[in-house]
Amino acid sequence: MNADVTAPLQPGSTIGILGGGQLGRMLAMSAAQLGFRCHVYSDVPGPALDVAHSSTIGAFDDLARIADFARSVDVVTYEFENVPLRAAAAAQEIAPVRPGPKALDVAQDRLTEKTFISKLGIPVAPFAAVGNLSELQAAAERVGLPAILKTRRLGYDGKGQVRLESADALAGAIDEIRGAPAVLEGFVAFQYEVSVLVVRAVDGAIRVYDPPINTHRNGILDTSVVPSPLPAAHRKHAEEIASRIALALDYVGVLAVEMFFLGETGGASLVVNEIAPRVHNSGHWTMDACTCGQFENHIRAIAGWPLGSTERHSDATMQNLIGDDVAGWREIAGEPGARLHLYGKTEVRPGRKMGHVNRLRPKTAG
Amino acid sequence: MNADVTAPLQPGSTIGILGGGQLGRMLAMSAAQLGFRCHVYSDVPGPALDVAHSSTIGAFDDLARIADFARSVDVVTYEFENVPLRAAAAAQEIAPVRPGPKALDVAQDRLTEKTFISKLGIPVAPFAAVGNLSELQAAAERVGLPAILKTRRLGYDGKGQVRLESADALAGAIDEIRGAPAVLEGFVAFQYEVSVLVVRAVDGAIRVYDPPINTHRNGILDTSVVPSPLPAAHRKHAEEIASRIALALDYVGVLAVEMFFLGETGGASLVVNEIAPRVHNSGHWTMDACTCGQFENHIRAIAGWPLGSTERHSDATMQNLIGDDVAGWREIAGEPGARLHLYGKTEVRPGRKMGHVNRLRPKTAG
C-alpha cells in the first residue's frame, strides 16, 4: 500500500470498482474523463466492463481473487452495498477501500442501519427486530399495523419486503421471507420522499447536491425532480442530517440518504428511510444539471482529489427507463434538451433498469 | 451489410472507430452513453482502448484485418483523416463508413482540398502546386513571399511545413520536405482564426456549433473561446460556408472548417484555411458548454440517429494541456467551474496533447 494514502492519486492510476452494473459503468466513464484507468471486479459480465480498462469475473467471496484485484489497483470502491465485509476487509489490507468498510457494515443490515441513525438522534420510522413469528407479533403491537416486514439483508428495489395490513397476515409474511432475520417498519404518514446526496472528501470537506423529490413505480425509482418542493428550512435540515451521517461514518465518496418529508408536524418533519453508501439512482440528474455530477465527485473523493462543485445549473427531471420503457429511445433521442443515457444492456427484462433520461429546464429557485 | 443502411442503429450495436487516440477515446465514451459498444482499430495501443469494448491492434494498410474489423461492427468511423483510402474502401464493402471515403480523399491532400473548396466558390488562401524546385520558384512568384510550403499529405499540428521568407530559402525548403509533393500557400493578412463545426445527419439535417476563436502556440492549438468576436453577419456566412462544404461532400458526422477572418476588407472577409473530416480539438468546449457536444453528435450522426441540440448554454474557454502543462492538473481540479479532461496518456512528451480544460462562464450574447 502507498505510504501516504491521503495523497491524491496521480492521473494514470487505476481505480478498482467492485460491481459491474450501470453505476460501475458511469463511475468508470467519469474516472476515464479524469485520466484514470478502471479495473472492474464483478461476479457476472455487466455493462461496466464495456468501458473499463480491465476486468475480473470472480465471486465476491473469493478472497484470493479479491486480493489479486486489490493488488492491481490504487484504490478500491464499490457500486453496490452488498459487497461481503470479508471481501472489503481483504481488499483493505492491500489498498484503501473508499467508502470504508464501516459504511458497508452499517448499510448492509437494516437493523444496524436504523439503530446507527437513531443513535445519532436522527428520526427514523418506528422499527423492531424480528427473528420469528412471536417476535413479529410483539413487533406488530409495538410498531402498529399496517407496517412493512423487510429482511435485514439483501433487499433493494422493493425486493425482500412484505406489506402487512392485519394481524392474520403475520405468519404468511414470515413464510414469504423464509424466516430470514428481519425488521418490521411502521408506516409514517409522509407527504413525499426526497433524497440527499452528499459527497465527502478524504480531508473531510463536504458538499451536498440539491435534494430531488422521488417517485416510485412498482417499488422502483421512477423519477427524481429538482428542485423539490421541500421548504428551504427543511432542506437545510435535510442537508445537515445527511452530512452528520457521513461524518459519523467517517465517509469518503458519495452517500445517498433517503428521507420522508412529513410536513409541518410540530414534531420531526424529516424521517430517514434508508442510506446507500454509493452513488445513487436519485442522483443521476446531477450528470447533466450540475457542474460536477455525482459520478465524477465520487471518483474525485476516493482519489483524494478536491471535490467538484455540486451547484445545479438547471432544473431537471430524471426518469428511469425500466424494462420495455427503453423501446422509446428513438423518440427520446429526438427530444430537444433530453439527455439520454443507455446502459448497454442487451437483454430487456421487466423491472430491469435499462437507462435514464434527464430532461433539463432553465433553473428556477428552490 | 444491413439491407437498410439508413435505418438508425439500435442501442447495443457496435461502432467501429479507426484510430486509438484521444478523439477516439471521447467518441467511445459518448457512444457508450448512448448504449453502443465500440471496437477500436489502431496501429498502436492508445487511450481509446481503455474505454472500448474491444480493440484490434493492426496496421492501417492491412486490408484483411480491416475487413475482419468491419465485419465485427455495424458502422465504421474514424478519428483521424489519414486513414488510407484503400482501408476505408475495404471497410466500406462490408459496413457503412461515415463520413464517407470522399471526405477522406479530399481532406488527405492539401491540393485536392484547396481545389475542391475553391471550386465551390469559397475563398481560400492563394496556393500553387509544387513538385520540385522550379515549380516552387514559379509558385513563389505567383503566390508571393512570405509563404508557407506544406506537404500535400500527412501534415498536422504544424508538421511538414516550412515558412519561406525570401527566394534564397527555396532550395533548402525542398530539401527539408524531402522533395515530397507540396503546396505553396500565400499568407493572408487575417485578424484571427475561427473554426466552424458542423454536424450532418444521414437524412441531410445540419446543425452548427457557435464558432470559437482559436489561438495557437508552437503551431498547436492552444485555446478555443466562445463566443468569438466574429460579427454576426460574418458568423452567419461562416456557418453557410461550412454547411456548403458538408453538403458538397455528402458528409455524415462532424466536420471542422478552419477559417481566417480578414476583417471588413471590401472583398472576401472569410478564407478557409483547412478542413478536418472528424471531431476536432477546437470543438472540445462543446462537451461542457452545449446541450449535446461534438462527440455525442458525431455518434448520433453516424448511427443514423436524430442530431442533438448544438445550442451553447455557457460561454467557455477551452485550453489544451500540452506536454508538461498536464502537471498543473491538481490546481485545475480545484478550480470551481473548470471541467478537466485528461486522456490517460502515461508518457508526457513535449507537444503531446495530454488533456484539456473547459472553463465555463455564464452565457453572453455572441
Side-chain angles (χ1 to χ4, degrees):
Chain A
M1 201 190 301
N2 197 314
D4 180 6
V5 295
T6 63
L9 288 191
Q10 294 288 323
S13 302
T14 301
I15 290 174
I17 301 173
L18 294 164
Q22 67 268 14
L23 300 179
R25 178 183 174 93
M26 291 185 277
L27 284 170
M29 288 167 72
S30 283
Q33 186 206 309
L34 297 177
F36 295 113
R37 291 178 167 186
C38 287
H39 183 163
V40 170
Y41 188 105
S42 178
D43 56 348
V44 289
L49 278 64
D50 289 353
V51 295
H53 175 266
S54 48
S55 60
T56 299
I57 300 293
F60 285 110
D61 57 2
D62 183 342
L63 300 187
R65 297 206 77 183
I66 293 280
D68 283 344
F69 163 74
R71 270 185 282 274
S72 76
V73 304
D74 298 293
V75 66
V76 173
T77 191
Y78 39 88
E79 58 129 40
F80 72 117
E81 58 270 42
N82 292 317
V83 173
L85 284 180
R86 288 173 60 209
Q92 180 90 332
E93 283 177 27
I94 297 160
V97 174
R98 294 173 181 157
K102 184 174 181 186
L104 279 181
D105 189 25
V106 166
Q108 279 178 5
D109 184 317
R110 289 183 194 279
L111 183 62
T112 313
E113 180 179 309
K114 287 173 185 299
T115 306
F116 179 84
I117 294 166
S118 285
K119 285 191 175 162
L120 294 175
I122 295 167
V124 297
F127 68 98
V130 170
N132 53 43
L133 181 57
S134 67
E135 284 179 15
L136 177 56
Q137 285 160 338
E141 290 201 9
R142 224 169 74 219
V143 165
L145 293 180
I148 302 189
L149 185 66
K150 298 180 176 179
T151 57
R152 282 173 61 174
R153 294 182 164 271
L154 297 174
Y156 65 96
D157 284 351
K159 290 165 193 169
Q161 304 194 0
V162 187
R163 190 184 163 109
L164 299 177
E165 301 288 347
S166 67
D168 43 333
L170 302 189
I174 292 287
D175 288 348
E176 196 164 331
I177 64 167
R178 298 176 191 185
V183 175
L184 187 70
E185 269 184 40
F187 275 98
V188 290
F190 63 91
Q191 295 190 354
Y192 47 80
E193 180 194 298
V194 296
S195 52
V196 179
L197 272 73
V198 60
V199 56
R200 188 162 177 270
V202 168
D203 66 5
I206 280 193
R207 294 200 182 164
V208 186
Y209 288 100
D210 286 350
I213 178 169
N214 302 321
T215 64
H216 296 77
R217 206 172 18 142
N218 305 322
I220 304 174
L221 184 68
D222 182 24
T223 65
S224 294
V225 180
V226 281
S228 79
L230 194 63
H234 293 293
R235 189 175 112 190
K236 193 159 173 250
H237 187 215
E239 294 177 2
E240 282 164 8
I241 287 173
S243 299
R244 272 166 59 204
I245 295 172
L247 184 64
L249 291 170
D250 193 20
Y251 198 86
V252 175
V254 168
L255 172 75
V257 182
E258 292 178 12
M259 302 178 200
F260 296 133
F261 179 62
L262 280 49
E264 306 290 353
T265 62
S269 288
L270 288 162
V271 162
V272 169
N273 179 33
E274 62 180 39
I275 67 174
R278 53 169 169 81
V279 287
H280 195 258
N281 197 164
S282 70
H284 288 1
W285 62 273
T286 64
M287 302 174 81
D288 295 309
C290 291
T291 307
C292 180
Q294 67 164 343
F295 297 99
E296 181 177 334
N297 251 334
H298 185 81
I299 296 295
R300 283 172 170 258
I302 65 162
W305 283 33
L307 301 180
S309 166
T310 52
E311 198 185 339
R312 173 171 63 84
H313 58 66
S314 300
D315 289 0
T317 296
M318 188 287 303
Q319 178 163 37
N320 269 335
L321 302 175
I322 309 284
D324 285 334
D325 292 351
V326 74
W329 66 267
R330 204 182 299 203
E331 201 170 12
I332 296 167
E335 268 181 56
R339 305 290 304 136
L340 178 63
H341 300 263
L342 296 178
Y343 304 151
K345 297 179 182 176
T346 40
E347 195 194 338
V348 180
R349 289 195 300 262
R352 194 175 201 205
K353 292 178 178 171
M354 304 299 294
H356 68 272
V357 55
N358 289 329
R359 294 186 172 92
L360 304 185
R361 298 174 297 277
K363 187 179 176 178
T364 57
Chain B
M1 201 189 300
N2 196 314
D4 180 7
V5 296
T6 62
L9 288 191
Q10 293 288 323
S13 302
T14 301
I15 290 173
I17 300 173
L18 293 164
Q22 67 268 15
L23 300 179
R25 178 182 175 94
M26 293 185 276
L27 284 171
M29 289 167 71
S30 282
Q33 186 207 308
L34 298 177
F36 295 113
R37 293 179 165 185
C38 288
H39 184 162
V40 170
Y41 189 105
S42 177
D43 55 349
V44 290
L49 277 63
D50 289 353
V51 293
H53 175 266
S54 48
S55 60
T56 299
I57 301 293
F60 285 110
D61 57 3
D62 183 341
L63 301 187
R65 297 206 77 183
I66 293 279
D68 282 344
F69 163 74
R71 270 185 283 274
S72 76
V73 304
D74 297 293
V75 66
V76 173
T77 190
Y78 40 87
E79 58 129 41
F80 72 117
E81 58 271 42
N82 292 317
V83 173
L85 284 180
R86 287 174 59 211
Q92 179 90 333
E93 284 177 26
I94 297 159
V97 174
R98 295 173 181 157
K102 183 174 180 185
L104 280 179
D105 188 26
V106 167
Q108 279 177 6
D109 184 318
R110 289 182 194 280
L111 183 62
T112 312
E113 180 179 310
K114 287 173 186 298
T115 307
F116 179 83
I117 295 167
S118 286
K119 284 191 176 163
L120 294 176
I122 296 168
V124 298
F127 69 98
V130 171
N132 53 42
L133 181 57
S134 67
E135 284 180 13
L136 177 56
Q137 285 160 337
E141 290 201 8
R142 224 169 74 217
V143 165
L145 292 181
I148 302 188
L149 185 66
K150 298 180 175 179
T151 57
R152 283 174 59 174
R153 293 182 165 270
L154 298 173
Y156 66 96
D157 284 350
K159 292 167 191 167
Q161 304 195 0
V162 187
R163 190 185 162 110
L164 299 176
E165 301 287 346
S166 67
D168 44 334
L170 302 189
I174 291 287
D175 288 348
E176 197 164 332
I177 63 166
R178 297 175 193 184
V183 175
L184 187 71
E185 269 184 40
F187 275 97
V188 289
F190 64 90
Q191 295 190 355
Y192 47 81
E193 179 194 298
V194 296
S195 53
V196 178
L197 272 74
V198 61
V199 55
R200 188 162 177 270
V202 168
D203 67 5
I206 280 193
R207 294 200 183 164
V208 186
Y209 289 101
D210 285 351
I213 178 169
N214 303 320
T215 64
H216 296 78
R217 207 173 15 141
N218 303 323
I220 302 174
L221 183 68
D222 182 23
T223 65
S224 294
V225 180
V226 280
S228 79
L230 194 64
H234 293 292
R235 190 175 112 189
K236 194 158 173 251
H237 186 214
E239 293 176 4
E240 283 165 6
I241 287 172
S243 299
R244 270 167 60 205
I245 295 173
L247 184 65
L249 291 170
D250 194 18
Y251 198 86
V252 175
V254 168
L255 172 75
V257 182
E258 293 178 11
M259 302 179 199
F260 297 133
F261 179 63
L262 279 50
E264 306 290 352
T265 61
S269 288
L270 287 163
V271 162
V272 169
N273 179 30
E274 62 180 37
I275 67 174
R278 53 169 168 81
V279 288
H280 194 258
N281 197 163
S282 69
H284 288 1
W285 63 273
T286 64
M287 300 174 81
D288 295 309
C290 293
T291 307
C292 180
Q294 66 165 341
F295 297 99
E296 181 178 334
N297 250 334
H298 185 80
I299 296 295
R300 282 172 170 257
I302 64 163
W305 283 33
L307 300 180
S309 167
T310 53
E311 199 186 338
R312 173 170 62 85
H313 58 66
S314 299
D315 288 1
T317 296
M318 187 288 303
Q319 179 163 36
N320 269 336
L321 302 175
I322 308 284
D324 285 334
D325 293 349
V326 74
W329 66 267
R330 204 182 299 202
E331 201 171 13
I332 296 167
E335 267 181 56
R339 307 288 306 134
L340 178 63
H341 300 264
L342 296 177
Y343 305 150
K345 298 178 183 177
T346 41
E347 196 193 340
V348 180
R349 289 196 299 262
R352 194 175 199 205
K353 291 177 178 172
M354 303 299 294
H356 69 272
V357 54
N358 288 328
R359 294 186 171 93
L360 304 185
R361 298 174 297 279
K363 186 179 176 178
T364 57

